[in-house]
Amino acid sequence: MSKFSKKAGANELRISSIIDAAEIVILKKGYEDATFTDFAEAANYNKRTIYLYFQSKDDIFAAVTYRLFEKIETAVRKKINPKQNGYTNLINIAWAYYNFFVENPKYFNLLWVLENKFFVPNKEEHYSPHILKSFEKRKIAVKLIYETYEKGIADGSIKASKDTNLMLPLLWSQTLGVLQVISRSTQYLAEELKINHKRLFELHVEKVAEILVNG
């Protein structure tokens, strides 16, 4: 008897169980060391079955990272208060990212693997549906940040004296850079440099706030 029935939704359940298993394997072994065989064994399927739903290892990874962006989006939306100005919400978003990755440090590694592999889509390349979905979900996360920034400019809480098309990417790349240092060097920061990573992020946010308020 098959693990799932042939009722409506059975394929979706099977796909979900494969992604569940792949996420566990990737978080444990890392993307580079994880194999299709690992995914199959963890999901309790043979590789042929998995290939019915996923074209490649990258395809499965994209499905896992899609879920990651869903979780990030949920965390960010919880911090966006429509009654607050754009500046306050933009700072809240920065802290939402910090809290998410402090609570889920292994996910940050997935994000960087994704950025290294698929940072900018190649218009001439054919991508699988799972990779395309991951692209689109990442765009939503970025769009939330841009919309909040633009709201701050509109309500006057953010001063846009410089080129906004350059300023926000600069500030956000700096934020991700600080998060990367924290994610990869927490122990070194604490033991060798005697730095509390939360205080480091606070200082970064303070500097960002100065730029946003003063223009």
Side-chain angles (χ1 to χ4, degrees), residues 149-164:
Y149 183 74
E150 290 170 352
K151 178 184 177 182
I153 293 175
D155 64 31
S157 60
I158 294 175
K159 306 302 179 184
S161 60
K162 299 180 177 63
D163 187 339
T164 57

Side-chain angles (χ1 to χ4, degrees), residues 23-196:
E23 180 176 332
I24 292 171
V25 170
I26 291 172
L27 288 176
K28 182 178 180 180
K29 301 186 68 172
Y31 175 75
E32 296 301 332
D33 291 332
T35 66
F36 226 83
T37 299
D38 292 329
F39 300 152
E41 290 178 352
N44 198 26
Y45 293 117
N46 59 47
K47 288 195 289 186
R48 183 184 303 174
T49 299
I50 294 183
Y51 274 118
L52 293 174
Y53 303 103
F54 298 95
Q55 298 177 9
S56 65
K57 178 180 169 181
D58 282 350
D59 203 22
I60 294 182
F61 179 65
V64 171
T65 55
Y66 176 87
R67 285 187 176 181
L68 167 60
F69 284 121
E70 278 192 318
K71 292 174 182 177
I72 292 174
E73 181 186 344
T74 298
V76 167
R77 288 191 184 278
K78 285 181 179 179
K79 293 298 183 181
I80 296 177
N81 185 342
K83 295 181 179 180
Q84 293 181 322
N85 61 36
Y87 162 80
T88 300
N89 277 321
L90 198 63
I91 298 300
N92 288 343
I93 289 174
W95 279 107
Y97 271 79
Y98 169 83
N99 290 326
F100 180 85
F101 286 118
V102 166
E103 294 169 5
N104 307 279
K106 290 184 178 181
Y107 280 130
F108 200 82
N109 292 331
L110 293 189
L111 180 63
W112 284 109
V113 173
L114 176 73
E115 298 296 344
N116 289 336
K117 292 182 69 61
F118 309 117
F119 184 69
V120 177
N122 184 344
K123 294 181 180 180
E124 297 180 358
E125 186 170 342
H126 173 74
Y127 294 104
S128 74
H130 291 289
I131 292 176
L132 291 174
K133 281 181 64 178
S134 184
F135 279 144
E136 292 305 312
K137 182 58 73 172
R138 181 176 62 177
K139 286 181 182 179
I140 292 174
V142 174
K143 184 179 179 181
L144 281 172
I145 297 167
Y146 269 84
E147 288 177 344
T148 304
Y149 183 74
E150 290 170 352
K151 178 184 177 182
I153 293 175
D155 64 31
S157 60
I158 294 175
K159 306 302 179 184
S161 60
K162 299 180 177 63
D163 187 339
T164 57
N165 289 331
L166 292 174
M167 186 54 62
L168 186 56
L170 173 64
L171 294 177
W172 198 243
S173 63
Q174 290 174 345
T175 300
L176 290 178
V178 173
L179 287 172
Q180 184 180 27
V181 169
I182 291 171
S183 174
R184 296 183 175 182
S185 309
T186 297
Q187 186 173 353
Y188 176 77
L189 290 172
E191 295 179 359
E192 299 295 328
L193 302 181
K194 311 302 179 185
I195 293 175
N196 180 288

